[in-house]
Amino acid sequence: EAVSGAQLIAQALRAQNIEYMFGIVGIPVTEIAIAAQAVGIKYVGMRNEQAACYAASAVGYLTGRPGVCLVVSGPGFLHALGGMANATINCWPLIVIGGSSDRNQETMGAFQEFPQVEAGGLYNKLSVRPSSLEVIPAVIEKAVRTSMYGRPGSCYIDIPGDFVNLQVNKSSVKYVECCLPPPISMAEHSAVSKAASVIALSKQPLLIIGKGAAYSHAENIIRKLVDLCGLPFLPTPMAKGVVPDNHPNCVAAARSTALQHADVIILLGARLNWILHFGLPPRYRQDVKVIQIDICAEELGNNVRPAATLLGDIKTVTEQLLEEFNKRSWKYPSNSEWWQKLREKIKNNEERSKGLALQKSLPMNYYTVFHHIRELIPKDCILVSEGANTMDIGRTMLPNFYPRQRLDAGTFGTMGVGLGFAIAAAMVARDHTPGRRVVCIEGDSAFGFSGMEVETICRYNLPILIIVVNNNGIYTGLDTNSWEEILKFGDPATCVPPVSLLPNAHYEKIMSVFGGKGYFVKTPEELQNALKASVTDKQTPSLINVMIDPQSERKKQEFPWLTRSNL
């Protein structure tokens, strides 16, 4: 019995428990998508390979099993590089399958010919081309396994165009079973007891929870550790919700103070990169003791010499620490000076945000908008957020109560991820947690990167709520009067500020044009009504375009590292 390359690829993906494929079909990969649907894999056709690849990578983070991105040769492959890099830098499993030129035309200047396997090496843990049809299942198993084992990341499989419809006898194919779940490693016992001793001697401890902890499903055990030891904790942006943001020990509202004065810091699946200011003074104490818990040995010791290193799976290592503290019965006192200092700072910062949120002036500012969003969106919704101010202020204003329910620009700071992430989250939610809503909060500039994916959302009838926080630009914008004044000076290309976008752009019409519901909003009342209507309608995609003050910015110096000179 004969089987085609396309069928072999689809069957092999199915055998590895792959559920979702995102992509844009064309020569030579169309048959692969058709074959994937025939074996029960869900195929979502996107409008840009970049968004398709972002979507597939988000599936990997949300489910622990890679999504697949399917692209054509040359430009199609190149457009997916952004998603590969983003997945690898975020440590998310992803499989990208790219068509390439027919083998007998290599070096001849074939249609869309490009050295894809070599190019893929920079962005992927594995970049391979099967040497024959017979080995396709084995190569796919290796790619899926490699994407998930150790520190997760992206893997690329190159499929020559002539492989797709080529047929081979089933009996000669090297079929393989589904790869085993990733092996789980524990930290060495001496490192665990050393870490516990350092923590027990701390005067100003701080637990930092990273998205590695969210990925390893360590939420229950980390919460037990926080409660047992009474430790203050700070989540990195995508780790919000591993322990709920409203937990009394959450010190996110005193972030700078907590980092600057902690004498012992426990890193749970978080890296000392730009997001955490590298662990270095003046943002940290010169003598801070760092305890690093990470799945990747090469990460240990980056930027700061650690007081203890615990190499292993976050969930398992946290269990080891918990066991150690159960024996010691140590608890950090809740009436310490450190707690008093942190609580005072939290109170001041929260009052400041509240003051800004309750301002009655129009147009609205970011804080007012997020205040109303927070009041009206479901507590268990998946939040996707991207933008500059929109993402940063949203992080402080919008709480997460459950793990893996915040997706944002991530470690790579990627703009354009929002709609792809939202589509992936909505597909996964529909199958695994029916009824859970996806709320995608975009800056107007961020929305522009993949705005046409609104058509994809409507085509697959995904009841996503998109909120565009529109300040007519990147960081800041101009109001209509200033815009018209500037245009009097001549050609917009010479006189319009580079950060400006068209004032009062009606992004909501992009949604209504495809059959969803669009709302144009200028006041708190209009915003509340639009939010209520969108949340109540559980069937229809909607977009709320919220006009805010073009000059509204975050509280001064909240994130001074976002000024370019400090990056």
Side-chain angles (χ1 to χ4, degrees):
E1 193 189 343
V3 60
S4 73
Q7 289 169 315
L8 274 176
I9 292 165
Q11 288 162 6
L13 291 170
R14 195 73 207 117
Q16 299 303 320
N17 288 334
I18 299 298
E19 287 185 80
Y20 304 97
M21 182 183 277
F22 303 83
I24 298 181
V25 294
I27 296 167
V29 300
T30 308
E31 291 86 347
I32 298 175
I34 294 167
Q37 284 182 319
V39 297
I41 292 172
K42 298 194 171 175
Y43 176 79
V44 178
M46 306 283 282
R47 303 308 303 265
N48 182 309
E49 288 93 356
Q50 211 173 58
C53 208
Y54 293 143
S57 71
V59 164
Y61 174 62
L62 294 168
T63 67
R65 237 184 158 68
V68 173
C69 175
L70 179 71
V71 295
V72 299
S73 41
F77 163 83
L78 287 171
H79 291 166
L81 289 179
M84 297 181 212
N86 194 61
T88 297
I89 287 170
N90 272 337
C91 313
W92 293 355
L94 166 68
I95 301 290
V96 179
I97 295 177
S100 56
S101 325
D102 291 5
R103 287 170 304 164
N104 63 355
Q105 295 174 359
E106 270 178 26
T107 74
M108 294 173 67
F111 175 63
Q112 298 185 334
E113 184 176 349
F114 192 76
Q116 294 172 195
V117 177
E118 295 84 337
L122 262 180
Y123 307 87
N124 293 279
K125 290 178 73 177
L126 181 72
S127 185
V128 289
R129 168 191 277 198
S131 55
S132 67
L133 258 59
E134 285 82 350
V135 298
I136 283 175
V139 168
I140 285 177
E141 185 273 347
K142 182 179 171 78
V144 170
R145 176 164 42 86
T146 304
S147 77
M148 299 188 301
Y149 277 35
R151 173 187 268 179
S154 178
C155 293
Y156 173 67
I157 305 169
D158 196 65
I159 303 290
D162 53 307
F163 271 21
V164 176
N165 291 316
L166 195 63
Q167 300 220 328
V168 66
N169 198 315
K170 263 188 172 173
S171 59
S172 62
V173 175
K174 189 181 165 192
Y175 285 103
V176 290
E177 289 178 58
C178 185
C179 66
L180 294 164
I184 288 172
S185 53
M186 298 168 85
E188 49 191 333
H189 184 70
S190 58
V192 176
S193 63
K194 183 177 183 188
S197 300
V198 173
I199 295 167
L201 290 170
S202 64
K203 299 271 182 289
Q204 303 186 161
L206 178 65
L207 183 62
I208 299 180
I209 303 170
K211 66 176 172 300
Y215 181 79
S216 82
H217 286 250
E219 52 270 10
N220 296 339
I221 202 80
I222 292 176
R223 184 157 188 179
K224 280 182 188 163
L225 183 73
V226 166
D227 291 339
L228 179 76
C229 297
L231 295 166
F233 74 89
L234 176 71
T236 63
M238 271 197 267
K240 279 162 59 73
V242 169
V243 183
D245 280 342
N246 60 352
H247 189 286
N249 289 33
C250 180
V251 296
R255 183 181 191 270
S256 301
T257 305
L259 295 178
Q260 205 164 8
H261 300 288
D263 63 352
V264 171
I265 286 178
I266 306 112
L267 290 172
L268 274 174
R271 294 172 278 183
L272 288 178
N273 53 25
W274 66 279
I275 291 179
L276 290 173
H277 321 292
F278 313 107
L280 297 173
R283 290 315 209 90
Y284 291 77
R285 286 168 53 147
Q286 187 79 52
D287 63 350
V288 65
K289 289 190 170 75
V290 174
I291 293 163
Q292 250 181 313
I293 306 173
D294 207 284
I295 197 165
C296 175
E298 288 83 350
E299 189 58 45
L300 303 170
N302 277 347
N303 301 327
V304 173
R305 186 180 171 89
T309 56
L310 284 70
L311 175 66
D313 173 76
I314 302 296
K315 186 178 175 183
T316 312
V317 175
T318 309
E319 279 169 2
Q320 289 179 278
L321 267 177
L322 190 67
E323 221 172 281
E324 189 67 33
F325 280 116
N326 271 326
K327 281 188 249 172
R328 295 181 184 226
S329 70
W330 172 84
K331 185 162 187 170
Y332 183 70
S334 58
N335 58 357
S336 63
E337 274 180 42
W338 179 226
W339 262 124
Q340 283 163 4
K341 183 177 197 162
L342 290 169
R343 286 195 188 108
E344 195 172 316
K345 193 74 190 165
I346 289 169
K347 193 162 158 261
N348 291 346
N349 282 348
E350 282 178 348
E351 278 170 7
R352 220 164 48 161
S353 295
K354 200 173 175 182
L356 288 163
L358 297 176
Q359 279 180 4
K360 290 281 184 275
S361 56
L362 289 177
M364 295 179 279
N365 67 40
Y366 284 102
Y367 292 86
T368 310
V369 170
F370 284 125
H371 169 73
H372 292 295
I373 294 174
R374 182 173 66 197
E375 298 300 301
L376 292 170
I377 58 174
K379 291 273 176 281
D380 68 344
C381 71
I382 297 170
L383 278 173
V384 179
S385 174
E386 67 169 336
N389 302 336
T390 300
M391 185 171 73
D392 293 324
I393 300 171
R395 179 173 56 243
T396 61
M397 293 284 293
L398 300 173
N400 287 83
F401 304 103
Y402 302 95
R404 296 169 298 283
Q405 293 195 4
R406 180 187 163 82
L407 296 164
D408 67 20
T411 308
F412 208 26
T414 308
M415 289 296 122
V417 293
L419 276 77
F421 281 4
I423 288 167
M427 290 294 295
V428 171
R430 178 181 277 179
D431 293 340
H432 297 273
T433 48
R436 183 168 295 158
R437 294 299 294 270
V438 176
V439 178
C440 179
I441 303 174
E442 301 272 304
D444 52 331
S445 164
F447 177 72
F449 283 82
S450 50
M452 200 43 79
E453 299 302 336
V454 166
E455 186 274 328
T456 312
I457 289 170
C458 292
R459 183 167 14 117
Y460 292 98
N461 201 24
L462 300 169
I464 295 166
L465 165 55
I466 300 171
I467 301 170
V468 177
V469 184
N470 191 347
N471 68 343
N472 303 340
I474 304 170
Y475 305 120
T476 57
L478 298 169
D479 59 31
T480 315
N481 295 343
S482 317
W483 178 262
E484 283 165 2
E485 282 303 307
I486 281 182
L487 290 188
K488 288 177 186 166
F489 292 107
D491 182 347
T494 56
C495 44
V496 165
V499 293
S500 293
L501 296 169
L502 193 68
N504 294 322
H506 279 267
Y507 296 113
E508 77 286 349
K509 292 190 173 165
I510 296 177
M511 179 61 86
S512 47
V513 113
F514 294 121
K517 289 189 176 157
Y519 302 88
F520 184 74
V521 158
K522 285 185 158 177
T523 67
E525 295 68 45
E526 290 171 350
L527 174 58
Q528 286 172 314
N529 292 338
L531 281 165
K532 284 174 188 161
S534 306
V535 170
T536 309
D537 183 346
K538 295 179 171 56
Q539 258 65 59
T540 319
S542 48
L543 191 154
I544 304 175
N545 182 14
V546 189
M547 301 310 302
I548 63 163
D549 182 349
Q551 298 297 314
S552 171
E553 288 204 60
R554 59 172 89 73
K555 292 182 310 199
K556 289 295 165 253
Q557 285 318 99
E558 189 170 345
F559 287 96
W561 45 266
L562 269 174
T563 54
R564 285 283 166 250
S565 59
N566 292 356
L567 268 183

